Amino acid sequence: MIIGIPKEIYPGETRAAITPALVSTLIKNHHKVLIEKGLGDGAFFQDDYYRENGAEIIADAVDIYYQAEVIFKVQPPAINAKLKKSEAELIKEGAAWMGFLAPLQNKDAIKILMQRNILSFAMEFVPRITRAQSMDALSSMASLAGYKAVLLAADHLHKIFPLMMTAAGTIPPATVLVLGAGVAGLQAIATAKRLGANVEAFDPRPAVKEQVKSLGAGFVEMELPGENVETDGGYAKEQSEAFLLKEREVIASRLSKADVIITTAQVFGKKAPLLITEEMIKLMHPGSVIIDLAAEQGGNCTLTKADTVVDKHGVFIHGAVNLPAKLPVNASQMYAKNIVNLFLHIFQKPEPDFEDEITRGSCITHSGKVLNNLVLSAMKEEGK
Ligand code: NAD
């Protein structure tokens, strides 16, 4: 197939959807790879390196969209400022699109993909099953975000993380509280532990307690709801308001001791649960830091503003967005591996197999229809 990879146009995006090393994997699998000139600039992958690995370098994105049978992207379709058109309108009719699509937030773009008969796959809809782990970009990017969140916190904090015994006295370790111990949370715990902090964490899914403890962190105990808290896809279910009230009480009791809070709590496809209110922030000591990774889903903290550092009641609240773009080398390597694995899984057969859980689960539009039920009902609700 002819695979086209245009440059990312979303502001601040530094990742590339393919690395030079993975171009040669695609070539070995008998595909042709067209990349836009400067594709890897943000991640320090030079055009020559892509060329040496077999890619054809194309100066204009329009030529890529014109020729490609499948497009690889990181970010969902955005407006190409020069052409004043959505990228969803540039891809040729009947071709395939693979990338993050955020389909519940980008219904207009999904409608265009549907109307133009595009076979689209959303990386965030790859099911969280063992067989699909090597294609799970949401997890690989969340891992990097959890790591970077701790480095940001260490940078904001006017204290050190580790215990330090010096001739000038003993400095106790910083205390880090991680709320939500999924992929990002577990990586945040591991990173904060490596930096020497005292770490404790909470997550409503019972299986998580052992994982938190295995990283050497404490688990905050609280009464857990009796009902099943996990979906079949391995995600948390939405908690009741009574549960969240109780959880906020438990969190409040730890706040006076916390130097850093990293919040990562989310329920797939929902607004982030509110875990920290303004009243609770007043219980924190001045100079402490909150890094809210759920900022793009509305935030786990009332005062969070996406992509902004708010300084309120002496506490820094950082609404972190797109942290993987701050680690473009590894983020591109991991993302490219995920997308190539998904591509080979779907297209290394004469026809995509829609009976397959991974293909069916990640497919959003096909043959002029929206295939994904969640996206379909969200679009119907809005009359799209
Ligand atoms: P995940 O689904 O693996 O983990 C989320 C965790 O939150 C789950 O373990 C879930 O049980 C837990 N949770 C749900 N309700 C909770 C509650 N009431 N209290 C405590 N925990 C609760 O998700 P992830 O991949 O780790 O991502 C976590 C968050 O980080 C998401 O909001 C995601 O969008 C965000 N994220 C941000 C960036 C960034 O750059 N800012 C990058 C990647 C991911």
Side-chain angles (χ1 to χ4, degrees), residues 128 138-139 141-142 145 179-185 202-205 208 235-237 239 243-244 247 263-267 272-273 275 292-297 320-324:
R128 271 187 169 170
L138 216 47
S139 290
M141 296 303 109
L179 299 173
V183 182
F202 175 72
D203 193 291
R205 290 183 297 124
V208 173
Y235 290 96
K237 282 189 177 161
Q239 309 301 320
F243 179 90
L244 290 175
E247 181 176 355
T263 66
T264 79
Q266 77 149 6
V267 173
L275 305 183
D292 191 343
L293 281 189
E296 274 168 297
Q297 285 77 39
V321 300
N322 202 3
L323 293 186

Side-chain angles (χ1 to χ4, degrees), residues 5 11 13 26 37 54 69 78-79 82 99-100 139 179 201 214 256 282-283 291 294-295 358 375 383:
I5 304 117
E13 188 51 78
L26 293 169
K37 191 172 168 12
E69 292 162 289
I79 300 294
K82 204 170 87 188
F100 283 125
S139 290
L179 299 173
S214 73
S256 63
K282 290 181 189 162
L283 301 171
I291 307 287
I358 301 171
V375 179

